Amino acid sequence: MASPLLEVRGLSVDYITETVDVRAVDHVELTLDQGEFLAIVGESGCGKSTLLFAISRLLSPPAEISAGSVIFRGEDLVALRDEQLRALRWDGYSVVMQSAMNALNPTMSIAAQFRDVMRAHAHLSDAAIRDRSLEVLRLVGIDAVHLDSYPHQLSGGMRQRAMIAMALLFTPDLVIMDEPTSALDVVAQRSLMTQIKELQRRLGFAVIFVTHDMSLVSHYSDRLAVMYAGQLVEVASTDALFAEPLHPYSRGLLDAFPSIHGPRRALTGIPGSPPDLGHPPPGCRFQPRCQVAMEACTTVSPDLSWVGRSQVRCLLYPAERTEAL
């Protein structure tokens, strides 16, 4: 089998403060194949965005990678110097930030911002830069007339599409997206997701998509990684996880949003709040909120283990029932 495009091995991220060190990402293991769409889901504050920024090497103090590696196309991004990372960014992988209005420079036109990226990473003529800029705008469904517009002159959906167009200027192998639909209405969200999936199919890039809304990615992602309190608690194909979620937290997330299919049912939330990562609870981190917790859950911290074709971090699935692919 071909090697994965991306391998995250034992990745941990700490926020170093004067009072306590907070482990926001705790020993995460992930792989991503070429052309695969992986969604990372979970509540706000569970470490999704911190994981994304660690993978893309965009963390800033007080956050720092304390352990692990991120192997992208055979190179460990954690070990690379800034100048080596600059050679990979945009060309090898790119990042679409959560809020396009904050990520785009309000004082520069879209054309000027595209030009800055291409001049920083390639030697192209002004004509070639403009041609490529128009080409990627057409890819995301923006009329060429908006190339010379400023961010405030575009709608929220168009700004996000402009960010995606910028991420595709060099047709990277991997596009990392941090909740790019969070500021959009439901119709604009679905339209943008359909556009992203179509671009992925046409161009063949892989996607890591961070969101708190499992329903948003249900028809678009190939795999789901459910994150809670800095740890992955379940990783499975999207179809398998929606059909039979194994972890109680995954089931809680699915029960928290309505479905247009099947019998009408009351929505249920997850009781309590996520733990303080400065002082996480002993044993399983979800046990204080878990409806099926056992006595062992208060002392034993489960590993992420294989159950059939899924991975789950839960004592409900004894070791003898687990098996790797």
Side-chain angles (χ1 to χ4, degrees):
M1 295 178 63
S3 298
L5 174 68
L6 179 78
E7 290 183 87
V8 179
R9 302 173 180 168
L11 188 64
S12 296
V13 177
D14 293 339
Y15 283 86
I16 310 300
T17 69
E18 294 181 358
T19 55
V20 64
D21 293 347
V22 176
R23 176 146 292 184
V25 173
D26 188 13
H27 198 76
V28 166
E29 304 262 349
L30 270 179
T31 62
L32 182 73
D33 292 329
Q34 181 70 48
E36 186 180 19
F37 192 125
L38 171 69
I40 302 174
V41 300
E43 292 171 286
S44 296
C46 71
K48 305 184 303 295
S49 293
T50 298
L51 173 60
L52 180 153
F53 278 87
I55 290 172
S56 55
R57 285 294 311 277
L58 292 174
L59 288 174
S60 57
E64 64 177 39
I65 294 175
S66 55
S69 59
V70 179
I71 310 300
F72 176 68
R73 297 195 310 199
E75 292 188 277
D76 184 3
L77 300 185
V78 175
L80 296 184
R81 301 186 301 275
D82 287 345
E83 58 268 25
Q84 294 171 308
L85 286 169
R86 279 195 292 270
L88 276 177
R89 288 173 180 152
W90 299 100
D91 181 57
Y93 69 90
S94 56
V95 181
V96 178
M97 299 297 184
Q98 181 171 357
S99 173
M101 197 62 206
N102 295 332
L104 292 169
N105 189 327
T107 68
M108 297 173 64
S109 68
I110 301 300
Q113 296 185 60
F114 284 13
R115 185 167 56 248
D116 276 359
V117 171
M118 285 189 279
R119 282 180 173 170
H121 296 273
H123 300 288
L124 299 172
S125 66
D126 287 345
I129 288 174
R130 189 163 185 87
D131 287 346
R132 180 57 181 166
S133 299
L134 291 170
E135 184 179 359
V136 293
L137 280 188
R138 285 193 293 269
L139 279 176
V140 298
I142 297 179
D143 193 282
V145 70
H146 293 296
L147 181 60
D148 294 310
S149 297
Y150 286 82
H152 72 273
Q153 296 174 308
L154 306 178
S155 68
M158 290 175 68
R159 286 196 293 267
Q160 285 298 158
R161 282 182 162 86
M163 283 290 298
I164 293 169
M166 189 183 300
L168 297 177
L169 282 169
F170 292 97
T171 317
D173 290 330
L174 171 62
V175 179
I176 301 172
M177 300 186 178
D178 184 17
E179 301 202 46
T181 64
S182 61
L184 306 179
D185 61 58
V186 174
V187 175
Q189 284 182 352
R190 299 295 169 177
S191 175
L192 185 61
M193 290 300 299
T194 301
Q195 184 93 57
I196 291 169
K197 191 64 180 178
E198 177 59 27
L199 287 170
Q200 185 202 15
R201 286 172 178 156
R202 288 174 58 186
L203 302 178
F205 56 85
V207 174
I208 297 178
F209 191 100
V210 165
T211 182
H212 63 273
D213 185 353
M214 291 182 74
S215 63
L216 181 67
V217 293
S218 59
H219 300 294
Y220 302 99
S221 62
D222 300 308
R223 280 193 301 146
L224 282 175
V226 181
M227 198 165 185
Y228 182 77
Q231 298 177 330
L232 295 184
V233 297
E234 186 167 355
V235 182
S237 71
T238 302
D239 290 343
L241 198 146
F242 271 81
E244 188 181 0
L246 299 180
H247 198 280
Y249 180 63
S250 302
R251 291 197 290 268
L253 290 178
L254 286 173
D255 288 341
F257 74 87
S259 173
I260 61 174
H261 304 290
R264 180 181 297 180
R265 58 178 176 81
L267 296 180
T268 58
I270 301 174
S273 302
D276 176 5
L277 292 181
H279 303 89
C284 172
R285 294 186 177 183
F286 186 60
Q287 58 86 11
R289 307 173 68 188
C290 184
Q291 302 295 300
V292 293
M294 304 173 289
E295 183 177 350
C297 299
T298 62
T299 57
V300 179
S301 180
D303 295 324
L304 190 67
S305 303
W306 288 97
V307 177
R309 299 183 67 84
S310 302
Q311 288 177 287
V312 62
R313 188 188 300 274
C314 185
L315 295 181
L316 290 173
Y317 307 95
E320 59 266 24
R321 289 184 54 198
T322 64
E323 59 181 24
L325 283 175

